[in-house]
Amino acid sequence: MVIVLKENPNPQQVNRLKNWLAEMNIDIHTIVGTQSTVLGLVGDTSGVDIELIRALDIVEDVKRIQEPFKRANRKFHPLDTVITIGDTKIGGGNFTLMAGPCSVESREQILSIARDVAANGGHILRGGAFKPRTSPYAFQGLRGLGIELLIEARKETGLKIVTEIMDISQLELFNDVDIIQVGARNMQNFELLKELGKSRKPILLKRGLSSTIQELLMSAEYIMAGGNENVILCERGIRTFETATRNTLDLSCVPVLKETSHLPVVIDPSHAVGVARYVYSMSLAAAAAGSDGLIIEVHNDPAHAMCDGAQSITPEAFGGLASKLSELLPVVGKSIGKTQN
Amino acid sequence: MGGGAKLSDKIKISLENTPVEFPQNAVVACQGVKGAYSQLACEKLFTNPNIIYVNTFDAVFNAVDKGMCGNGILPLENSLCGSVAEVYDLMKKHHFYIVRSVKMKINHALLANHGVISPQIKEIYSHEQALGQCSEFIKKLKNVKIINCVNTASAARAVSESKRNDAAAIANPVCAHLYDLSVISNSIQNNDNNYTRFICISKELQIYPQSNKISLMFTVPHKPGALYGFLEKFASLGVNLTKLESRPISGSDFEFMFYVEMDTSVSSNGIKELMDELENTYETFVFLGNYKEV
Ligand SMILES: [Mn+2]
């Protein structure tokens, strides 16, 4: 349920309303907007007399939220959420470029790619330290050392860093990471989501390969229910009958998520198509569709990458894409850059 | 009602548990906005109320029933216009007790934005009852359109917010200060003996010392002498009935809910016993409270 208050409501009457709701064990989420204040109610609101609330002089409108996701719901939070990490903003008209290798392979590799990403307009460096691989015999990542190398690359380039967590036990190693990624395979690892809800670090939550949009939002709700509002949703392709591409990029999720949620939406075209030469088209399409950013696999030697080389684009290709995006984005009312509001 | 303890037992428990002093602070539901007569009545009862304004009488009952407010203020009758039918009809729907009543002298004024003079006024905003109470004054103004509002104070607020120079409101003069308006004419009611009685309700039965009024609500069967039979019991105890009101029960074939008010208290001889008897005899019998009028 959401309660929209009138402009400049009497604070004593607002307090009484909030206390009364709290007496019924309802959590209140207050969003102060430029025009009006919205109270989002979470908990069992079935006993709340909606007509009584509507009759209050301080109340403009009351709506019940039918969807099971509340905190992630745009009715709860009409304005876009903007996540700020230092000078980088994600969401709300800012378009953010995250790029880097599938996995951190060596010091030389990650530093070299980081320089290229920074030089070509990227904002955030991606790179896997813990790798969820289909085969147990495949490269599993540099683990703790990988994170240290990412931190070193950040120090040198000024890029923020995002990397994937696979298990709760690794959480301590992520203290100095800017954005923690939850991979597609962990999207419904509810214990992990609850733990991340206690953190205040931004979480990049990837959609499961066979999860619905609502399931993605419910996973975001898990994190937000713990008090962590900094969730970035990420579409990375879903499994369909099509074999020409690795997955099918569900770009229709962008307008759906933008309508139903206030959280930033980032697209991962690399894992969606699995073919480097298709990444450019789908990146432009994602930007045109209204997403808030891209996360792209970039490698300086794709042929010899330890994983996902086939879908990795070169730093030059990334640079070309970034400059095309800077022409396209103003058309859809967004800007590429670090300190837009 | 019924069920559970006998009415006389509930009354006994209430007499033991009600504090000696009427509270000074309370969260109180009032219909209208700041400056409404309900607010003035509320402030006559409580020194320091936290008033929650709602836009319907129904919500006043609900706010008390659902625990948002400890008390609620409702107008019951006006000396010029009679009973407030809507409030009587809502009494059937809600569970509540009257803990106090208050009589307020009503004084209406014509209010408009600063600089506006009487001949400019083309529209007058106010509550139905206030418009009725000032009908002679309105008649003397030429070519004015009357606009009904839910409340006199919200009429004043609307005129203020409109910033119009051809509109005026009829409301209590305190609204002039509250909504930054000027008083064009004061005391414009037809008759200076203009009083409204308000009740203060609570979810709990509370009987404070010096309570000397009892209110009841009941139905009687459709047979000769039924109402007489009910009232006769009070006559035989020598009780003075001060009000008898009847309201049709919606959806029924001219069946009525009766409301009585009388000058007596639960401590008077035979009253508690009579309450038990009436509760057992009549299908609908509601003890609405024993209270003092201030
Ligand atoms: Mn990969």
Side-chain angles (χ1 to χ4, degrees):
Chain A
M1 189 185 283
V2 290
I3 302 172
V4 184
L5 299 178
K6 283 186 188 155
E7 245 181 286
N8 305 318
N10 174 294
Q12 256 194 324
Q13 295 182 48
V14 175
N15 278 341
R16 181 60 206 137
L17 171 61
K18 286 185 174 179
N19 291 339
W20 177 67
L21 293 165
E23 285 160 21
M24 291 185 277
N25 290 320
I26 288 163
D27 265 359
I28 304 149
H29 185 97
T30 308
I31 306 114
V32 182
T34 46
Q35 305 269 312
S36 60
T37 299
V38 171
L39 305 180
L41 313 190
V42 191
D44 181 10
T45 57
S46 55
V48 177
D49 185 339
I50 194 163
E51 288 314 315
L52 172 55
I53 294 176
R54 208 188 296 282
L56 296 173
D57 187 51
I58 52 168
V59 170
E60 180 76 48
D61 197 13
V62 192
K63 291 172 250 182
R64 279 212 187 268
I65 295 186
Q66 303 300 334
E67 297 89 353
F69 49 95
K70 313 288 180 195
R71 289 182 155 88
N73 204 308
R74 193 176 277 278
K75 288 175 193 151
F76 235 79
H77 192 294
L79 297 178
D80 284 353
T81 281
V82 180
I83 294 171
T84 305
I85 310 162
D87 59 357
T88 303
K89 284 188 161 70
I90 306 169
N94 307 282
F95 196 84
T96 310
L97 288 177
M98 311 183 188
C102 181
S103 48
V104 181
E105 298 169 14
S106 68
R107 187 167 179 273
E108 294 66 39
Q109 176 246 20
I110 194 66
L111 289 178
S112 160
I113 296 174
R115 287 177 204 124
D116 287 338
V117 166
N120 286 293
H123 310 118
I124 296 171
L125 177 68
R126 62 148 292 152
F130 294 92
K131 296 304 301 176
R133 303 303 299 277
T134 306
S135 163
Y137 311 118
F139 174 57
Q140 301 289 308
L142 293 182
R143 307 177 76 81
L145 174 62
I147 292 180
E148 282 173 35
L149 294 174
L150 285 168
I151 292 167
E152 191 182 337
R154 174 178 62 196
K155 206 171 167 194
E156 193 192 308
T157 60
L159 293 171
K160 305 295 180 290
I161 53 176
V162 54
T163 191
E164 178 174 356
I165 190 167
M166 280 176 61
D167 190 82
I168 302 176
S169 63
Q170 298 157 356
L171 198 55
E172 212 170 298
L173 292 169
F174 285 72
N175 280 342
D176 209 15
V177 163
D178 299 304
I179 303 175
I180 303 177
Q181 176 180 321
V182 174
R185 285 157 192 84
N186 259 326
M187 189 201 87
Q188 289 190 317
N189 182 341
F190 299 120
E191 291 303 317
L192 175 63
L193 299 179
K194 281 191 231 170
E195 209 54 40
L196 294 173
K198 295 178 194 160
S199 161
R200 292 297 173 268
K201 257 189 207 308
I203 309 296
L204 181 86
L205 178 66
K206 287 199 156 188
R207 179 178 175 186
L209 33 162
S210 54
S211 297
T212 64
I213 292 171
Q214 181 159 312
E215 284 164 345
L216 171 64
L217 288 168
M218 289 311 292
S219 289
E221 191 76 15
Y222 257 94
I223 299 167
M224 299 174 89
N228 189 354
E229 307 281 320
N230 303 312
V231 179
I232 304 157
L233 304 170
C234 180
E235 157 67 21
R236 44 77 70 206
I238 51 175
R239 186 160 285 185
T240 67
F241 54 82
E242 184 53 68
T243 54
T245 49
R246 181 175 173 180
N247 292 290
T248 296
L249 180 59
D250 178 17
L251 269 187
S252 58
C253 81
V254 178
V256 175
L257 288 170
K258 284 281 142 195
E259 181 180 80
T260 51
S261 179
H262 52 89
L263 297 171
V265 178
V266 162
I267 298 295
D268 173 353
S270 308
H271 289 88
V273 295
V275 181
R277 65 181 180 282
Y278 303 149
V279 168
Y280 178 82
S281 307
M282 297 321 288
S283 296
L284 296 182
S291 66
D292 299 293
L294 293 164
I295 180 162
I296 299 176
E297 289 197 338
V298 172
H299 201 284
N300 51 4
D301 185 8
H304 296 99
M306 292 176 86
C307 75
D308 287 350
Q311 67 194 36
S312 298
I313 61 172
T314 61
E316 295 71 41
F318 175 69
L321 172 62
S323 74
K324 197 67 186 172
L325 283 168
S326 61
E327 290 176 45
L328 170 66
L329 285 163
V331 178
V332 292
K334 286 207 166 64
S335 49
I336 197 159
K338 287 203 168 186
T339 48
Q340 303 298 318
N341 279 306
Chain B
M1 307 291 121
K6 271 197 302 183
L7 180 52
S8 59
D9 290 337
K10 286 187 207 162
I11 291 170
K12 261 181 234 156
I13 293 169
S14 166
L15 285 169
E16 283 162 20
N17 294 342
T18 306
V20 179
E21 298 283 344
F22 194 74
Q24 306 243 305
N25 314 309
V27 182
V28 189
C30 288
Q31 191 261 3
V33 295
K34 228 179 197 201
Y37 286 101
S38 288
Q39 182 211 341
L40 306 180
C42 180
E43 284 172 349
K44 201 168 163 187
L45 289 173
F46 300 95
T47 24
N48 195 15
N50 176 7
I51 302 179
I52 306 298
Y53 291 100
V54 295
N55 53 34
T56 62
F57 292 137
D58 193 39
V60 173
F61 283 104
N62 264 332
V64 172
D65 190 40
K66 303 286 162 59
M68 184 186 283
C69 299
N71 296 98
I73 301 287
L74 293 154
L76 208 56
E77 56 185 342
N78 176 268
S79 56
L80 300 180
C81 299
S83 293
V84 184
E86 192 191 341
V87 172
Y88 275 99
D89 288 339
L90 287 165
M91 285 187 182
K92 288 177 283 192
K93 259 181 64 185
H94 295 279
H95 182 54
F96 68 96
Y97 293 101
I98 302 171
V99 295
R100 196 138 283 200
S101 66
V102 57
K103 202 166 90 174
M104 300 287 296
K105 189 168 169 39
I106 302 295
N107 179 34
H108 295 306
L110 186 70
L111 310 175
N113 284 304
H114 301 302
V116 175
I117 49 164
S118 195
Q120 289 176 282
I121 296 164
K122 295 277 168 286
E123 281 183 4
I124 293 184
Y125 291 73
S126 194
H127 184 262
E128 228 183 331
Q129 279 221 346
L131 291 164
Q133 291 158 14
C134 304
S135 57
E136 287 166 21
F137 175 86
I138 295 169
K139 232 179 277 170
K140 282 183 236 149
L141 299 170
K142 300 278 180 295
N143 297 322
V144 295
K145 202 174 143 193
I146 302 300
I147 314 259
N148 269 315
C149 293
V150 290
N151 178 278
T152 53
S154 46
R157 185 166 79 174
V159 167
S160 171
E161 282 170 0
S162 77
K163 300 198 166 59
R164 285 171 53 180
N165 60 10
D166 61 348
I170 291 176
N172 189 276
V174 299
C175 294
H177 303 283
L178 283 172
Y179 299 111
D180 197 28
L181 297 169
S182 296
V183 177
I184 293 191
S185 313
N186 201 353
S187 300
I188 59 170
Q189 54 270 30
N190 302 350
N191 187 317
D192 219 28
N193 270 323
N194 185 3
Y195 291 93
T196 297
R197 282 184 65 225
F198 292 84
I199 51 170
C200 175
I201 63 165
S202 154
K203 196 177 172 161
E204 308 298 331
L205 174 58
Q206 291 166 334
I207 305 173
Y208 291 93
Q210 290 145 34
S211 291
N212 53 11
K213 272 181 167 298
I214 286 182
S215 289
L216 306 172
M217 175 167 84
F218 60 96
T219 57
V220 292
H222 256 310
K223 63 179 190 198
L227 180 60
Y228 171 79
F230 185 97
L231 300 176
E232 189 271 334
K233 294 178 195 300
F234 290 95
S236 65
L237 286 176
V239 172
N240 176 29
L241 262 58
T242 52
K243 177 158 174 106
L244 175 63
E245 177 75 40
S246 69
R247 295 288 309 157
I249 297 171
S250 65
S252 73
D253 182 12
F254 284 98
E255 290 190 40
F256 288 85
M257 183 67 82
F258 292 96
Y259 303 84
V260 285
E261 265 182 37
M262 54 193 79
D263 288 338
T264 187
S265 98
V266 292
S267 320
S268 300
N269 252 346
I271 292 290
K272 276 201 285 282
E273 294 73 17
L274 178 56
M275 293 298 124
D276 280 341
E277 185 197 328
L278 294 172
E279 189 178 45
N280 292 330
T281 314
Y282 291 90
E283 204 183 324
T284 307
F285 172 80
V286 182
F287 179 78
L288 291 173
N290 182 191
Y291 54 94
K292 183 169 103 174
E293 178 152 297
V294 295

